[in-house]
Amino acid sequence: MTSTDPVQGRIDELEAAEDRAAALLERTLLLAGRHLAPRLAGRTLRLAVAFHQRARTARRELTDAINYLERDAR
């Protein structure tokens, strides 16, 4: 859905970014659970941490945007 409201548009982007990061995190953790060589396991876990941070950052910004809209609606 395309929105002309820039805040709603950003909320939509953040929700999609969080969903993508969470999906990548899940895939990376599944890969890390396999018996990988130590060098690959370390890289895989670093990727998992990065995807977790992306999801957390998107969720935080999303919460801030929703709080902004709620505050503005009062």
Side-chain angles (χ1 to χ4, degrees), residues 2-70:
T2 304
S3 174
T4 57
D5 180 3
V7 176
Q8 184 60 51
R10 185 63 183 147
I11 287 172
D12 294 342
E13 289 173 9
L14 289 168
E15 286 175 337
E18 182 184 20
D19 290 344
R20 283 190 310 271
L24 288 169
L25 172 61
E26 184 177 337
R27 286 177 58 196
T28 306
L29 289 175
L30 288 172
L31 179 62
R34 296 182 184 170
H35 296 287
L36 298 175
R39 181 176 55 92
L40 292 177
R43 290 178 183 174
T44 303
L45 289 175
R46 281 192 296 277
L47 275 175
V49 169
F51 294 139
H52 171 72
Q53 290 172 339
R54 281 187 194 179
R56 189 176 64 202
T57 298
R59 171 52 57 187
R60 191 175 321 133
E61 192 174 340
L62 180 60
T63 300
D64 289 346
I66 291 171
N67 288 339
Y68 171 80
L69 288 175
E70 289 175 344

